[in-house]
Amino acid sequence: MTTPTRTDLLTDFSLEMTGKDVDDLQAAVPVLPSGTRVNVTFLGNEDLAMRTTAARAVRMAGLSPVPHISARRLHDRGELDTYLAALRDVDATSAVFCVGGDPATPAGPYPDSEAVIRTGVLAEYGVRHVSIAGYPEGHPDISGDVLWNALRAKAAALAEQGLEGSIITQFTFDEEPVLRWIEQVRDAGIHLPIRVGIPGPAGVKRLLGFARRFGIGANAMIVKKYGFSLANLIGTAGPDRLIAALFDGYDPARHGEVRLHFYTFGGLHATAQWIHDFRDR
């Protein structure tokens, strides 16, 4: 494996879409590099047809679909098999993102993503790479010790199943806790590639709303670093300053392989266009 460099942060980025974003995806295709990873969500208001249609649209656009598997939303093994089979039919199972999901009570036998990974079923449907979630700034409903134990267990489960893996972090407005957390991940002996979650350009109020929902720090210092003010919530904000700060603080020798993952709160096309223009600059 080649040694990562700072400029790698700006290459091989990923972003995500919902099942409702197929039209937005088509508009974004002209400004996305061929093969770009596009995560396809697994939300409670989406159904199997929406998820597989979106994954197929990603593949047909010359991009790489990464469907989400939400462990706590699955009612039984049959539903997991049906979902994976449908994804395989549209050539969308080579890579998936396995996450616990939002429901406080699991709908079925899978309390977390580790439980899904340990079924051994993923490889049966052609899955070779599994992304797992990381929380540099913690989780509003899960203690730090539980999060660390879960990360170690998921990384171990991937190795035991012979699956490639990576970590996608929750989004952040501040590079400092993320870079510290990545160092802790490496110190814990976990050397999976990490994709740092970046909020794409969006309305300021919308960004803050998502931050509060997920327990992400959004104090005055942090949002100033991101490029907007709590005193002025009108208009949109983009992650220019955050990416520049990550670029400055990233040490390939210390942090290992790191890329960016964009959360498209302001729309898939708008985020893709912003990334295209930012890279040109």
Side-chain angles (χ1 to χ4, degrees):
M1 186 177 68
T2 59
T3 302
T5 67
R6 282 187 172 90
T7 55
D8 288 334
L9 283 175
L10 300 176
T11 63
D12 188 27
F13 63 87
S14 56
L15 67 172
E16 66 181 46
M17 64 179 289
T18 73
K20 300 176 182 178
D21 291 336
V22 172
D23 289 343
D24 210 18
L25 170 71
Q26 301 304 327
V29 168
V31 293
L32 287 173
S34 177
T36 297
R37 293 170 175 82
V38 181
N39 285 34
V40 180
T41 58
F42 193 117
L43 302 177
N45 59 358
E46 299 168 347
D47 59 21
L48 177 63
M50 291 177 66
R51 295 169 189 139
T52 54
T53 296
R56 181 179 185 276
V58 173
R59 177 66 70 196
M60 295 297 292
L63 309 173
S64 300
V66 183
H68 289 198
I69 300 174
S70 180
R72 287 172 169 257
R73 294 192 187 280
L74 295 169
H75 292 84
D76 51 39
R77 169 65 184 268
E79 184 175 2
L80 176 59
D81 281 311
T82 298
Y83 180 47
L84 290 170
L87 292 175
R88 183 178 59 188
D89 288 344
V90 296
D91 190 21
T93 55
S94 61
V96 299
F97 175 46
C98 199
V99 66
D102 293 335
T105 302
Y110 309 115
D112 49 40
S113 57
E114 181 193 352
V116 173
I117 294 167
R118 290 195 180 279
T119 64
V121 72
L122 298 179
E124 295 178 14
Y125 288 91
V127 175
R128 299 190 300 275
H129 185 109
V130 179
S131 298
I132 55 178
Y135 300 91
E137 297 179 79
H139 189 289
D141 301 317
I142 306 174
S143 72
D145 287 344
V146 171
L147 288 174
W148 277 109
N149 289 336
L151 186 63
R152 293 187 187 94
K154 289 183 288 188
L158 292 176
E160 291 168 14
Q161 295 290 327
L163 295 167
E164 298 176 0
S166 59
I167 301 169
I168 299 177
T169 78
Q170 183 54 273
F171 70 90
T172 185
F173 292 120
D174 187 6
E175 84 287 354
E176 292 180 3
V178 173
L179 293 172
R180 285 197 302 268
W181 179 84
I182 293 174
E183 291 186 11
Q184 292 175 316
V185 171
R186 301 316 185 200
D187 288 343
I190 300 171
H191 298 289
L192 297 174
I194 294 174
R195 290 183 175 271
V196 176
I198 303 291
V204 173
K205 289 184 179 180
R206 184 173 177 83
L207 287 171
L208 291 177
F210 276 104
R212 294 187 187 99
R213 175 182 171 188
F214 292 107
I216 303 301
N219 62 38
M221 180 191 72
I222 292 173
V223 296
K224 182 178 180 181
K225 292 170 93 174
Y226 191 75
F228 59 85
S229 169
L230 288 174
N232 181 10
L233 303 184
I234 299 174
T236 62
D240 308 59
R241 298 183 187 181
L242 174 59
I243 293 175
L246 280 167
F247 188 92
D248 289 341
Y250 171 52
D251 178 0
R254 183 70 176 121
H255 299 118
E257 185 176 342
V258 177
R259 299 290 188 272
L260 303 182
H261 176 77
F262 289 88
Y263 290 88
T264 56
F265 300 137
L268 176 61
H269 180 209
T271 302
Q273 185 66 57
W274 185 93
I275 298 169
H276 178 270
D277 295 343
F278 181 82
R279 295 177 76 197
D280 279 353
R281 295 198 299 272

